[in-house]
Amino acid sequence: MRVRRKVGILVSGRGSNLQALLDACADPAFPAEIVLVISNVAGAYALERAEKAGVATLTIPHKSYPDRAAFDAALDAALRAAAVEIVCLAGFMRLLTPEFTRAWAGRMLNIHPSLLPSFKGLHTHQRAIEAGVKLHGCTVHLVTPDLDDGPILVQKAVPVLLGDTPDTLAARVLEQEHQAYPEALRLLAEGRVTVTANRAEIA
Ligand code: GRF
């Protein structure tokens, strides 16, 4: 039997990308399995989704720690205790320390709702509309210490339509996010990603 890589997912909110990953991993032929979901927000809907899928959950409230380093150390310890090999950030709304991102370099993915390197940070859909771009989308990338930076594994584009609001555009992008994240996790779990000069090559 093929080895399935053990995945830990960090969330803060509704967890629709977590759901897409849970659904993908429900297939025993998928090369990864989710062993732990951690939220920094108690009661996040994402935790319910994990519980329904029979996946272990933990809440690690960032406010219980004196600083980012202590919070990240708690995350790191929980991930290691669960023998996690790959970390996925799925709507995790905390900045991570360079120490944490370095410890998981090459093994941590993030999904961002824009075609990076355009529109790093927040309010990406509104900014895309204001900029008048005709194509927008999402990116799954390896996490590096710089925010929304790092080698790109998968991107999906959608058209920006006349009359789009941030909400209508977000909904169109979100559908693509749910395709892109399992695709990227599969690539990484299958060991098909090599990074050279901040670029990911997919075998
Ligand atoms: C998604 O748009 C994701 O790209 C961004 O945060 C949002 C999380 O949504 N990083 P969900 O919690 O996965 O539904």
Side-chain angles (χ1 to χ4, degrees), residues 11-19 46 49 89-93 110-114 124-125 138-139 148 170 173-174 177-178 181:
V11 297
S12 301
R14 68 186 166 180
S16 73
N17 278 289
L18 165 67
Q19 189 67 56
R49 294 181 189 266
L89 308 181
F92 182 66
M93 301 306 286
N110 180 44
I111 186 152
H112 182 74
S114 78
T124 57
H125 308 304
C138 62
T139 303
D148 300 330
V173 170
L174 195 62
E177 293 186 35
H178 299 159
Y181 218 161

Short mmCIF file of all heavy atoms in Angstrom, two decimals, residues 11-19 46 49 89-93 110-114 124-125 138-139 148 170 173-174 177-178 181, ligand 1:
data_model
loop_
_atom_site.label_atom_id
_atom_site.label_comp_id
_atom_site.label_asym_id
_atom_site.label_seq_id
_atom_site.Cartn_x
_atom_site.Cartn_y
_atom_site.Cartn_z
N VAL A 11 -6.44 26.53 10.88
CA VAL A 11 -7.63 27.28 10.46
C VAL A 11 -7.96 28.36 11.48
O VAL A 11 -7.50 28.30 12.63
CB VAL A 11 -8.85 26.34 10.32
CG1 VAL A 11 -8.64 25.28 9.24
CG2 VAL A 11 -9.17 25.66 11.66
N SER A 12 -8.82 29.30 11.04
CA SER A 12 -9.34 30.30 11.98
C SER A 12 -10.84 30.51 11.81
O SER A 12 -11.46 31.17 12.65
CB SER A 12 -8.66 31.67 11.75
OG SER A 12 -7.27 31.60 11.91
N GLY A 13 -11.43 30.01 10.70
CA GLY A 13 -12.80 30.44 10.41
C GLY A 13 -13.72 29.36 9.90
O GLY A 13 -13.79 28.27 10.45
N ARG A 14 -14.37 29.66 8.75
CA ARG A 14 -15.47 28.79 8.29
C ARG A 14 -14.96 27.47 7.71
O ARG A 14 -15.67 26.47 7.69
CB ARG A 14 -16.31 29.52 7.25
CG ARG A 14 -15.55 29.75 5.96
CD ARG A 14 -16.25 30.59 4.94
NE ARG A 14 -15.22 30.95 3.97
CZ ARG A 14 -15.41 31.68 2.91
NH1 ARG A 14 -16.59 32.16 2.66
NH2 ARG A 14 -14.42 31.95 2.09
N GLY A 15 -13.73 27.45 7.17
CA GLY A 15 -13.13 26.17 6.79
C GLY A 15 -13.63 25.54 5.51
O GLY A 15 -13.62 24.32 5.38
N SER A 16 -14.02 26.35 4.52
CA SER A 16 -14.47 25.70 3.27
C SER A 16 -13.29 25.07 2.53
O SER A 16 -13.46 24.03 1.88
CB SER A 16 -15.23 26.69 2.38
OG SER A 16 -14.36 27.62 1.79
N ASN A 17 -12.12 25.65 2.63
CA ASN A 17 -10.95 24.99 2.02
C ASN A 17 -10.56 23.73 2.80
O ASN A 17 -10.16 22.73 2.20
CB ASN A 17 -9.76 25.96 1.94
CG ASN A 17 -9.88 26.85 0.74
OD1 ASN A 17 -9.73 26.41 -0.41
ND2 ASN A 17 -10.21 28.13 0.96
N LEU A 18 -10.70 23.78 4.11
CA LEU A 18 -10.49 22.56 4.90
C LEU A 18 -11.43 21.47 4.39
O LEU A 18 -11.02 20.32 4.22
CB LEU A 18 -10.77 22.85 6.38
CG LEU A 18 -10.95 21.59 7.25
CD1 LEU A 18 -9.65 20.81 7.36
CD2 LEU A 18 -11.48 21.94 8.63
N GLN A 19 -12.70 21.84 4.14
CA GLN A 19 -13.67 20.85 3.67
C GLN A 19 -13.22 20.21 2.35
O GLN A 19 -13.32 19.00 2.16
CB GLN A 19 -15.05 21.51 3.50
CG GLN A 19 -16.16 20.51 3.23
CD GLN A 19 -16.40 19.61 4.44
OE1 GLN A 19 -16.67 20.10 5.53
NE2 GLN A 19 -16.29 18.30 4.26
N ALA A 46 -14.83 25.61 11.17
CA ALA A 46 -13.90 24.62 10.61
C ALA A 46 -13.72 23.42 11.55
O ALA A 46 -13.57 22.28 11.11
CB ALA A 46 -12.55 25.28 10.34
N ARG A 49 -16.43 20.92 11.08
CA ARG A 49 -16.23 20.15 9.83
C ARG A 49 -15.26 19.00 10.07
O ARG A 49 -15.47 17.88 9.60
CB ARG A 49 -15.67 21.07 8.74
CG ARG A 49 -16.61 22.17 8.29
CD ARG A 49 -15.89 22.95 7.19
NE ARG A 49 -16.52 24.16 6.77
CZ ARG A 49 -17.35 24.28 5.73
NH1 ARG A 49 -17.69 23.22 5.03
NH2 ARG A 49 -17.83 25.46 5.38
N LEU A 89 -2.09 25.78 5.58
CA LEU A 89 -2.80 26.93 6.15
C LEU A 89 -4.07 27.11 5.34
O LEU A 89 -4.01 27.25 4.11
CB LEU A 89 -1.93 28.20 6.05
CG LEU A 89 -0.50 28.08 6.60
CD1 LEU A 89 0.22 29.43 6.44
CD2 LEU A 89 -0.53 27.66 8.06
N ALA A 90 -5.22 27.08 6.00
CA ALA A 90 -6.49 27.17 5.29
C ALA A 90 -7.36 28.22 5.97
O ALA A 90 -8.16 27.90 6.86
CB ALA A 90 -7.18 25.80 5.26
N GLY A 91 -7.12 29.48 5.60
CA GLY A 91 -7.84 30.56 6.24
C GLY A 91 -7.36 30.75 7.67
O GLY A 91 -8.15 31.02 8.57
N PHE A 92 -6.06 30.61 7.86
CA PHE A 92 -5.44 30.78 9.19
C PHE A 92 -4.98 32.24 9.28
O PHE A 92 -4.11 32.66 8.52
CB PHE A 92 -4.26 29.82 9.34
CG PHE A 92 -3.60 29.88 10.69
CD1 PHE A 92 -4.28 29.49 11.84
CD2 PHE A 92 -2.29 30.33 10.81
CE1 PHE A 92 -3.67 29.54 13.08
CE2 PHE A 92 -1.67 30.37 12.05
CZ PHE A 92 -2.36 29.98 13.19
N MET A 93 -5.62 33.00 10.19
CA MET A 93 -5.45 34.46 10.16
C MET A 93 -4.41 34.96 11.16
O MET A 93 -4.62 35.99 11.81
CB MET A 93 -6.82 35.13 10.42
CG MET A 93 -7.88 34.76 9.40
SD MET A 93 -7.37 35.07 7.69
CE MET A 93 -7.47 36.85 7.64
N ASN A 110 0.08 27.38 1.67
CA ASN A 110 -0.95 28.39 1.97
C ASN A 110 -1.79 28.59 0.72
O ASN A 110 -1.30 28.42 -0.39
CB ASN A 110 -0.28 29.71 2.36
CG ASN A 110 -1.30 30.80 2.67
OD1 ASN A 110 -2.30 30.55 3.36
ND2 ASN A 110 -1.08 32.00 2.15
N ILE A 111 -3.06 28.94 0.93
CA ILE A 111 -3.89 29.35 -0.21
C ILE A 111 -4.21 30.82 -0.05
O ILE A 111 -4.54 31.28 1.04
CB ILE A 111 -5.17 28.50 -0.34
CG1 ILE A 111 -5.90 28.88 -1.63
CG2 ILE A 111 -6.10 28.61 0.86
CD1 ILE A 111 -6.72 27.79 -2.24
N HIS A 112 -4.05 31.54 -1.17
CA HIS A 112 -4.28 32.98 -1.13
C HIS A 112 -5.25 33.35 -2.25
O HIS A 112 -5.10 32.89 -3.38
CB HIS A 112 -2.94 33.73 -1.31
CG HIS A 112 -3.11 35.21 -1.24
ND1 HIS A 112 -3.34 35.86 -0.04
CD2 HIS A 112 -3.15 36.17 -2.19
CE1 HIS A 112 -3.49 37.15 -0.28
NE2 HIS A 112 -3.37 37.37 -1.57
N PRO A 113 -6.25 34.21 -1.94
CA PRO A 113 -7.27 34.51 -2.94
C PRO A 113 -6.87 35.61 -3.92
O PRO A 113 -7.57 36.63 -4.04
CB PRO A 113 -8.49 34.90 -2.08
CG PRO A 113 -7.90 35.47 -0.85
CD PRO A 113 -6.57 34.78 -0.62
N SER A 114 -5.77 35.42 -4.63
CA SER A 114 -5.41 36.29 -5.75
C SER A 114 -4.39 35.55 -6.59
O SER A 114 -3.85 34.52 -6.16
CB SER A 114 -4.78 37.62 -5.28
OG SER A 114 -3.43 37.43 -4.90
N THR A 124 -8.47 41.23 -1.16
CA THR A 124 -7.93 41.03 -2.51
C THR A 124 -8.99 41.24 -3.60
O THR A 124 -8.67 41.76 -4.67
CB THR A 124 -7.36 39.60 -2.65
OG1 THR A 124 -8.40 38.67 -2.35
CG2 THR A 124 -6.21 39.38 -1.71
N HIS A 125 -10.24 40.83 -3.33
CA HIS A 125 -11.27 40.91 -4.38
C HIS A 125 -11.63 42.37 -4.66
O HIS A 125 -11.74 42.78 -5.81
CB HIS A 125 -12.49 40.09 -3.97
CG HIS A 125 -12.13 38.68 -3.57
ND1 HIS A 125 -11.44 37.84 -4.42
CD2 HIS A 125 -12.30 38.00 -2.42
CE1 HIS A 125 -11.23 36.67 -3.80
NE2 HIS A 125 -11.73 36.76 -2.59
N CYS A 138 -6.77 32.50 -7.66
CA CYS A 138 -6.20 32.04 -6.39
C CYS A 138 -4.87 31.35 -6.65
O CYS A 138 -4.57 30.93 -7.77
CB CYS A 138 -7.16 31.08 -5.69
SG CYS A 138 -7.49 29.59 -6.62
N THR A 139 -4.10 31.26 -5.58
CA THR A 139 -2.75 30.68 -5.66
C THR A 139 -2.51 29.77 -4.46
O THR A 139 -2.81 30.17 -3.33
CB THR A 139 -1.69 31.81 -5.61
OG1 THR A 139 -1.94 32.74 -6.67
CG2 THR A 139 -0.27 31.26 -5.72
N ASP A 148 2.56 35.90 1.95
CA ASP A 148 2.00 35.63 0.62
C ASP A 148 3.08 35.62 -0.47
O ASP A 148 2.88 36.14 -1.58
CB ASP A 148 0.88 36.63 0.28
CG ASP A 148 -0.27 36.56 1.28
OD1 ASP A 148 -0.49 35.47 1.82
OD2 ASP A 148 -0.91 37.59 1.53
N ALA A 170 -15.56 36.96 -5.07
CA ALA A 170 -15.02 36.02 -4.07
C ALA A 170 -15.63 34.63 -4.25
O ALA A 170 -14.93 33.61 -4.15
CB ALA A 170 -15.30 36.52 -2.66
N VAL A 173 -14.04 32.92 -7.18
CA VAL A 173 -12.66 32.50 -6.87
C VAL A 173 -12.68 31.30 -5.91
O VAL A 173 -11.91 30.34 -6.08
CB VAL A 173 -11.86 33.67 -6.24
CG1 VAL A 173 -10.52 33.18 -5.70
CG2 VAL A 173 -11.65 34.78 -7.27
N LEU A 174 -13.60 31.33 -4.94
CA LEU A 174 -13.63 30.27 -3.92
C LEU A 174 -13.85 28.89 -4.55
O LEU A 174 -13.23 27.91 -4.13
CB LEU A 174 -14.71 30.57 -2.88
CG LEU A 174 -14.62 29.77 -1.58
CD1 LEU A 174 -13.32 30.05 -0.82
CD2 LEU A 174 -15.82 30.07 -0.67
N GLU A 177 -10.61 27.82 -5.58
CA GLU A 177 -9.74 27.48 -4.44
C GLU A 177 -9.94 26.02 -4.06
O GLU A 177 -8.98 25.30 -3.74
CB GLU A 177 -10.07 28.37 -3.23
CG GLU A 177 -9.72 29.83 -3.45
CD GLU A 177 -9.91 30.66 -2.18
OE1 GLU A 177 -9.66 30.16 -1.09
OE2 GLU A 177 -10.32 31.84 -2.31
N HIS A 178 -11.23 25.60 -4.10
CA HIS A 178 -11.54 24.24 -3.65
C HIS A 178 -11.00 23.18 -4.62
O HIS A 178 -10.87 22.02 -4.25
CB HIS A 178 -13.05 24.11 -3.45
CG HIS A 178 -13.57 25.05 -2.40
ND1 HIS A 178 -14.88 25.43 -2.31
CD2 HIS A 178 -12.92 25.71 -1.40
CE1 HIS A 178 -15.03 26.26 -1.28
NE2 HIS A 178 -13.84 26.46 -0.72
N TYR A 181 -6.55 23.65 -4.03
CA TYR A 181 -5.83 23.22 -2.83
C TYR A 181 -5.57 21.70 -2.83
O TYR A 181 -4.42 21.27 -2.63
CB TYR A 181 -6.55 23.68 -1.56
CG TYR A 181 -5.59 24.12 -0.46
CD1 TYR A 181 -5.99 24.91 0.60
CD2 TYR A 181 -4.24 23.72 -0.49
CE1 TYR A 181 -5.10 25.31 1.59
CE2 TYR A 181 -3.34 24.12 0.49
CZ TYR A 181 -3.78 24.92 1.54
OH TYR A 181 -2.89 25.32 2.51
C1 GRF B 1 -9.99 31.79 1.56
O1 GRF B 1 -10.44 32.75 0.64
C2 GRF B 1 -8.50 31.65 1.50
O2 GRF B 1 -7.99 31.84 0.22
C3 GRF B 1 -8.01 32.75 2.41
O3 GRF B 1 -8.94 32.78 3.46
C4 GRF B 1 -10.19 32.26 3.00
C5 GRF B 1 -10.54 31.12 3.91
O4 GRF B 1 -11.80 30.59 3.62
N1 GRF B 1 -6.65 32.50 2.83
P1 GRF B 1 -12.23 29.20 4.24
O5 GRF B 1 -12.10 29.33 5.75
O6 GRF B 1 -11.33 28.14 3.69
O7 GRF B 1 -13.65 29.01 3.82
#
